[in-house]
Amino acid sequence: MNDLVFAHIFDVLPSPYMVLDRELRYVSVNRAYEQAVLKQRDELVGRPLFDLFPNEGESGRRLRASFAEVLETGEPDTIAFIPYEIPRPQSEGGGVEERYWTATHTPILDDDGAVAFIVQNTVDVTEIVRLKQASTVPSAAVPGELALLRNAREVEEAYQETRSESEEFRRLFRQAPGMIAVLQGPEHVAVFANDSYARFVGHRDVIGLPIREALPEVAGQGFFEMLDAVYAEGKSFTGEGVRLLIHGEGDEGLSETFIDFTYNPIRDAEGRVTGVFVQGADRTDAIRAADRQRLLIDELNHRVKNTLSTVQSMARQSFRKLPQAQEARAAFDARILALSHAHNVLAERRWEAAGLRVLLRQELSPFPRSQVTMSGPEVHLTARSAIALSMVFHELAANAAAYGALSSDEGELVVSWQVAGEGTGRHLSIAWTETAGAPVSANPLVEGFGMRMLHRVVEGELSGTLSLDLASGGLICRIELALSEVEEFASTAA
């Protein structure tokens, strides 16, 4: 924008503006300011402000203090509802007229960062102050000028309190850990971006720029089109773990990032969409860590399977010359296969948890569904307890198939479980109940490898209790485990 165009825009602004140098002399004013102070430009430029509008009272002191604050700190300052006398032209009878103003003083810095000029924007609020004075203070109680000044001070105090709260909210938004930006208009011009957003885009100066101009490398990735749709349709849009190529801080080329984001429409008092509120979080590190973990788990699964195959091969060679080698090898192979199936269940869930119902259904899948009944709430076991219980269920199922309820078409198996107790005393109870088609002799259970393994796993590895009873109807096995072995519990019944 050339100087001529800028000067024209400055001159036609509807609000009064004036520019002072460090000695508080007029440098420039616009037409609205001339009309507000009832003086022409050539009467003002080059003259000291307080020579033209002297005021040694409270209003003058506050005005000088505001200018001094801006010159010292280089930060803007605002005075709300300041009374100030304006000379009237002789054509209107002369004298002075007391008016009330809200003034904002903004510093203009030179190349060295020092304040070179102060821009003042003023708003005439005389009528507002007078209406407040007339409606809140009885005229007989307080002299008119004192009442107006008191009201002005009260309003300014309220204004400064509101401004302080607004600045606090702005500070909190700026320091928020997530990315926040406010875009205005159909071109999505950035009017606010917090520190997290600035870091993410490489500390580029995006304020005042349309988003397509501020972040040109994002074109073609769908984000601009999403913003257009939110602005046009007034509907929010959310994305999770979305891939984005962008220039980050210090990046020579494009960096691959992943973000969670939400675009929400901003509406005015009439409900019209005026902009888009952007919130986001950089998920790049988390997603890359998850990818690395996925690769490691896949490698672990591959190695576990290879190890189980090696163990199985070694066992076959060892059993080859032993008595009853075929029967022993079959039993061992079945146990290895059960362990492998449990590993598959956990691998599908990235070794986070395995459902009790899933383990049982997998182990009992070879048997007719008409002979097997399962009931209980959804229980997610830790990986350690899932592996252990899969071996327990395998031994019980193998025994039922060979000697118990599942060895004939007339037998039935009922497996039920529940979570009981409170606090640290909560526990998981599992009941394995077999009903054979024909009466079972009451001979005591024979202590074999399978029974020893059941006790070792339940009572040793899982610190639980195990009871086995051989009633006339069939085997009954009860298992009690502390809920500390359970990763997650949902109360939905089967």
Side-chain angles (χ1 to χ4, degrees):
M1 183 181 296
N2 59 46
D3 294 342
L4 182 61
V5 174
F6 178 81
H8 177 70
I9 293 174
F10 176 76
D11 200 39
V12 299
L13 287 172
S15 182
Y17 281 88
M18 60 100 161
V19 182
L20 302 177
D21 61 17
R22 291 187 59 86
E23 283 69 41
L24 305 183
R25 293 186 297 249
Y26 282 100
V27 175
S28 181
V29 299
N30 67 351
R31 296 177 193 174
Y33 189 88
E34 291 179 296
Q35 296 170 1
V37 299
L38 305 178
K39 287 185 178 293
Q40 298 298 313
R41 189 168 311 180
D42 55 5
E43 299 179 74
L44 301 171
V45 174
R47 302 279 302 279
L49 168 67
F50 291 107
D51 285 355
L52 294 172
F53 304 104
N55 190 319
E56 301 302 327
E58 176 67 13
S59 298
R61 185 198 65 77
R62 293 168 63 202
L63 192 59
R64 287 184 174 87
S66 178
F67 288 138
E69 177 76 11
V70 174
L71 291 171
E72 180 179 352
T73 66
E75 297 291 335
D77 188 59
T78 299
I79 306 177
F81 299 90
I82 178 172
Y84 215 89
E85 293 182 343
I86 300 297
R88 295 178 60 86
Q90 292 299 325
S91 60
E92 297 182 11
V96 295
E97 179 183 4
E98 188 172 53
R99 308 291 296 179
Y100 287 83
W101 310 86
T102 290
T104 299
H105 300 142
T106 304
I108 303 298
L109 308 182
D110 58 20
D111 293 339
D112 297 326
V115 178
F117 303 98
I118 298 176
V119 177
Q120 182 193 74
N121 172 226
T122 52
V123 179
D124 190 341
V125 293
T126 303
E127 299 306 320
I128 296 176
V129 174
R130 288 176 179 171
L131 285 172
K132 179 175 175 61
Q133 186 270 339
S135 62
T136 59
V137 181
S139 58
V142 183
E145 293 183 0
L146 181 58
L148 288 174
L149 183 58
R150 180 177 299 173
N151 285 333
R153 289 175 177 173
E154 291 174 355
V155 173
E156 182 177 356
E157 289 174 359
Y159 169 81
Q160 294 294 350
E161 181 178 354
T162 302
R163 181 186 177 195
S164 176
E165 292 175 355
S166 176
E167 290 176 349
E168 177 67 12
F169 276 114
R170 189 177 183 88
R171 184 185 66 81
L172 293 175
F173 272 112
R174 186 170 295 282
Q175 297 179 5
M179 294 181 283
I180 297 175
V182 177
L183 310 179
Q184 288 287 343
E187 299 299 320
H188 316 302
V189 176
V191 296
F192 175 81
N194 72 344
D195 296 341
S196 294
Y197 188 96
R199 285 193 297 272
F200 185 74
V201 301
H203 292 285
R204 281 178 280 182
D205 188 8
V206 300
I207 302 301
L209 297 176
I211 195 67
R212 286 177 168 84
E213 181 179 341
L215 307 174
E217 71 275 18
V218 179
Q221 300 184 54
F223 293 91
F224 297 155
E225 291 76 10
M226 295 177 204
L227 288 171
D228 292 340
V230 172
Y231 187 86
E233 302 172 11
K235 296 180 180 179
S236 299
F237 190 92
T238 299
E240 295 183 0
V242 180
R243 181 174 180 265
L244 169 66
L245 297 177
I246 194 169
H247 288 299
E249 186 174 13
D251 292 338
E252 295 181 359
L254 293 176
S255 296
E256 182 185 50
T257 62
F258 297 88
I259 60 173
D260 293 346
F261 67 94
T262 301
Y263 294 157
N264 291 306
I266 301 172
R267 301 179 184 273
D268 61 16
E270 286 73 35
R272 294 186 297 266
V273 177
T274 60
V276 179
F277 185 77
V278 177
Q279 298 180 80
D282 187 353
R283 293 285 311 284
T284 305
D285 291 342
I287 288 178
R288 287 178 178 168
D291 288 341
R292 288 193 295 270
Q293 184 182 36
R294 188 176 298 110
L295 290 173
L296 290 173
I297 289 176
D298 289 342
E299 178 63 21
L300 173 63
N301 292 334
H302 178 70
R303 294 190 180 189
V304 166
K305 288 182 179 295
N306 286 343
T307 300
L308 291 177
S309 296
T310 301
V311 170
Q312 190 175 34
S313 177
M314 293 171 62
R316 286 175 178 175
Q317 293 295 323
S318 301
F319 288 148
R320 186 172 56 181
K321 296 182 180 180
L322 294 178
Q324 300 178 329
Q326 185 174 357
E327 182 179 350
R329 188 175 68 184
F332 185 82
D333 284 347
R335 289 175 177 131
I336 291 292
L337 186 60
L339 189 60
S340 178
H341 288 164
H343 275 266
N344 288 339
V345 171
L346 289 167
E348 291 175 358
R349 290 159 176 77
R350 299 298 170 187
W351 288 82
E352 294 180 354
L356 176 59
R357 185 187 306 278
V358 174
L359 293 178
L360 280 166
R361 185 181 295 121
Q362 178 177 261
E363 189 59 46
L364 298 174
S365 60
F367 305 106
R369 299 187 64 177
S370 59
Q371 290 185 260
V372 178
T373 302
M374 294 185 296
S375 64
E378 188 64 38
V379 176
H380 295 284
L381 302 168
T382 61
R384 170 175 164 270
S385 58
I387 292 292
L389 283 176
S390 69
M391 300 307 298
V392 170
F393 296 146
H394 170 75
E395 291 301 321
L396 291 172
N399 183 77
Y403 312 108
L406 301 181
S407 62
S408 67
D409 296 338
E410 292 79 21
E412 293 183 0
L413 169 64
V414 176
V415 185
S416 61
W417 62 94
Q418 62 180 353
V419 174
E422 296 182 357
T424 57
R426 298 182 71 195
H427 59 276
L428 171 65
S429 300
I430 304 173
W432 177 289
T433 305
E434 297 181 26
T435 303
V440 178
S441 63
N443 293 331
L445 292 168
V446 178
E447 181 79 13
F449 176 79
M451 188 178 297
R452 290 195 300 272
M453 190 176 74
L454 289 177
H455 283 286
R456 187 180 300 117
V457 170
V458 174
E459 298 172 351
E461 186 172 350
L462 299 179
S463 302
T465 61
L466 171 74
S467 65
L468 294 167
D469 297 314
L470 191 60
S472 59
L475 178 68
I476 300 176
C477 176
R478 292 185 176 87
I479 299 172
E480 298 283 336
L481 297 173
L483 200 61
S484 58
E485 299 296 334
V486 180
E487 183 179 64
E488 182 180 348
F489 168 68
S491 60
T492 303

